Amino acid sequence: MGKGTFSIDPSLEAKMHQYQIVGRAAPTNKNPTPKIYRMRIFARNVVLAKSRFWYFMKRLNKAKKSGGELLSVNELFDTSPTKVKNYGIWLRYDSRTNTHNMYKEFRNVNINGAVGQLYQEMAGRHRASPGSIQIIHATTVADEQCRRDHVLEMHDSKLKFPVVRKIPMAKKKLRTTFKALCR
C-alpha cells in the first residue's frame, strides 16, 4: 500500500450509503405544481433508499410511489473520509411497547460508518430492527459540544494506548522456518 492510502476491513462495517432523493406527488388537475421534497436517506443500496423515501412521503403528504415521481437520486460522499470526526445522530425508533426519541454520538471517519455503528448498537442494546429506526438528523459535532462520555474520553491530545503483550524476539540461532512437534 502506498503512503496516505488505507483500507478498512469490510466485515467490520455495515455497508451504509447516504443518498439524496428529490421527489414529489405527481401533478394533477387539482394540484398542477405539487411541493417538492428533498431527503437525505441512509440505506444499504439505492432500491432500499427509494423505498424509504416513499415510506416517509406516504406519512408526510399521502403521496405513494404509484402517485408520485422521483426527480433525482444521488449518492452523497464525505469531503474528508480520512479524518476522525464526532457525529451526533437524532433518531426515533419503535420498541416493543412504545416509540422513543434518542440522541447518540459516535466517532468515525465518515458519516456512513457512524450510521452503521448506530444500527449495530440499536440492534445490540435495544433489539431494534433497521425498519423501526428513523434517523431524524445526522451531523458532525465539534469537540466542545460532545455530551457522551465514550466520545469525550477520546478527545485527550495526550491519549496513549498501552502495548498489551510485548514478546521478545528469539535469538537468530534459535529461529527456524519449520518446527517439528515432539509428542
Side-chain angles (χ1 to χ4, degrees):
M1 291 180 48
K3 189 176 180 185
T5 60
F6 67 96
S7 66
I8 298 170
D9 183 5
S11 65
L12 298 176
E13 275 195 356
K15 297 167 194 67
M16 298 301 290
H17 299 276
Q18 183 182 12
Y19 297 97
Q20 175 181 283
I21 301 179
V22 181
R24 64 179 183 177
T28 59
N29 293 335
K30 193 184 276 187
N31 187 6
T33 55
K35 192 174 177 184
I36 296 173
Y37 290 88
R38 180 181 59 140
M39 294 183 201
R40 268 187 353 172
I41 304 231
F42 293 94
R44 286 177 169 268
N45 56 43
V46 184
V47 176
L48 292 174
K50 288 178 186 176
S51 171
R52 205 82 182 128
F53 175 79
W54 289 118
Y55 167 82
F56 290 120
M57 283 293 282
K58 205 185 313 182
R59 292 178 151 215
L60 279 171
N61 63 353
K62 296 181 181 165
K64 295 194 298 185
K65 185 179 178 183
S66 59
E69 59 186 2
L70 291 178
L71 303 175
S72 75
V73 178
N74 304 326
E75 186 172 353
L76 301 177
F77 298 97
D78 272 356
T79 51
S80 57
T82 55
K83 185 182 171 199
V84 177
K85 295 173 282 299
N86 309 310
Y87 290 99
I89 301 174
W90 287 262
L91 67 128
R92 175 187 300 135
Y93 85 99
D94 295 322
S95 69
R96 290 173 187 156
T97 56
N98 208 349
T99 303
H100 309 278
N101 294 317
M102 251 186 215
Y103 169 74
K104 289 194 167 286
E105 284 178 357
F106 300 96
R107 280 177 65 83
N108 209 307
V109 291
N110 61 17
I111 198 157
N112 296 342
V115 171
Q117 278 181 294
L118 167 82
Y119 278 109
Q120 291 292 326
E121 185 172 315
M122 291 302 292
R125 288 183 196 259
H126 305 284
R127 298 290 186 259
S129 65
S132 69
I133 298 170
Q134 299 174 13
I135 296 174
I136 297 165
H137 185 58
T139 185
T140 55
V141 179
D143 287 355
E144 308 82 51
Q145 295 175 332
C146 287
R147 306 181 216 168
R148 303 294 184 247
D149 288 337
H150 70 277
V151 174
L152 289 171
E153 69 186 4
M154 303 305 258
H155 292 166
D156 184 14
S157 60
K158 297 184 178 93
L159 185 68
K160 292 182 180 178
F161 295 99
V163 178
V164 178
R165 195 165 159 226
K166 216 171 195 177
I167 300 172
M169 290 283 283
K171 293 180 183 172
K172 184 75 175 168
K173 65 180 184 180
L174 299 175
R175 271 188 250 162
T176 58
T177 307
F178 303 103
K179 189 69 82 178
L181 293 175
C182 301
R183 290 185 191 227

